[in-house]
Amino acid sequence: MVTVAVLGGLAVALFGMAGVGLLADRYLAEPDDLRADLLVSDANKWAVFALLCGYVLVVEGRPLSSMTGRSLAPLAFVAVVGGGVFVLFAANAVTTPVFDRLGVGGLDEGMSGLGSLSVRHRLFVAGTAGITEEVLFHGYAIERLLELTGSPLLAGGVSFAAFTASHAVGWERGAVARIAVPALLTTIMYLLVRDVVALVCIHALNDAVGLLLAGSVEDAGDADGADAAADGTAR
């Protein structure tokens, strides 16, 4: 009975986001702008997150702490978060030129229009991704898979595959390939530290910096374009 309950929870954690995303694409009209699209996406993530929390409490009869792993000591926590963010930044710096050289598509299409979002909205998007995705795919899924199989390799492999596949909804293949890099790294990090709060911070900080920088670059590009247009008009 416990195994059946866990399998149900794993279905929610591993496939809930992808399933809700597919249903939204099929039955909801496509939002007119990026802001509305992100709000729908974030609402879907929080809905699946809330469903899993309720499932753990009611069906499994366990506390929510059962899907958070362990708690690191304060100094270890700071070191892990700082080191994790550094690793993700370094991996991005190394792999981006490689993907560009291979002609693998980027995230530009999905990230376009960020300049229209407020800083608060960008931070909310980053926080939503960090909390919901880490708890579902790592805190819950890996802990339960380890409990069922005792295999870190299997637990991490299933989690990584499901996490990467969930981003295939609404993203181009090239973008999914790029997303797979931080997905793999965060999966390995979780298996090493088993503290979902630390992974939430690493994920959210990495996304926040990316969103803020992307928005700033776009804002600068829009400003340059406006200046050029003004110069042309003046001439």
Side-chain angles (χ1 to χ4, degrees):
M1 184 65 181
V2 173
T3 301
V4 173
V6 170
L7 290 176
L10 286 171
V12 174
L14 296 173
F15 308 115
M17 284 189 181
V20 171
L22 289 172
L23 289 174
D25 287 346
R26 181 170 183 177
Y27 294 107
L28 296 179
E30 185 174 349
D32 295 330
D33 57 27
L34 177 65
R35 184 180 290 103
D37 188 39
L38 287 174
L39 287 174
V40 171
S41 175
D42 288 341
N44 291 341
K45 290 178 180 179
W46 284 112
V48 177
F49 176 83
L51 175 62
L52 182 64
C53 289
Y55 188 93
V56 170
L57 291 171
V58 177
V59 178
E60 291 188 355
R62 303 192 196 190
L64 295 180
S65 59
S66 67
M67 55 181 182
T68 60
R70 63 177 179 175
S71 296
L72 294 171
L75 289 179
F77 181 89
V78 172
V80 166
V81 172
V85 172
F86 174 80
V87 168
L88 292 183
F89 285 175
N92 182 64
V94 171
T95 59
T96 295
V98 175
F99 281 127
D100 290 343
R101 188 174 184 82
L102 294 175
V104 177
L107 306 176
D108 295 341
E109 182 177 349
M111 303 281 278
S112 63
L114 286 173
S116 65
L117 302 180
S118 67
V119 171
R120 182 180 301 177
H121 193 171
R122 294 176 213 175
L123 293 177
F124 177 76
V125 171
T128 293
I131 294 171
T132 60
E133 293 177 2
E134 290 302 324
V135 172
L136 267 64
F137 291 99
H138 293 153
Y140 181 89
I142 288 182
E143 291 299 327
R144 295 300 190 270
L145 286 166
L146 285 172
E147 183 180 293
L148 289 176
T149 68
S151 171
L153 182 61
L154 179 59
V158 171
S159 171
F160 164 71
F163 182 91
T164 304
S166 72
H167 287 78
V169 180
W171 291 92
E172 297 294 332
R173 290 182 180 179
V176 175
R178 292 179 184 245
I179 290 170
V181 175
L184 176 61
L185 292 174
T186 52
T187 299
I188 293 172
M189 289 177 197
Y190 185 81
L191 288 170
L192 291 174
V193 302
R194 302 280 293 279
D195 184 339
V196 79
V197 178
L199 266 295
V200 165
C201 292
I202 293 169
H203 189 149
L205 286 171
N206 180 70
D207 284 9
V209 172
L211 289 169
L212 292 173
L213 288 178
S216 298
V217 170
E218 188 172 324
D219 288 341
D222 290 343
D224 290 342
D227 290 343
D231 290 342
T233 303
R235 290 177 185 149

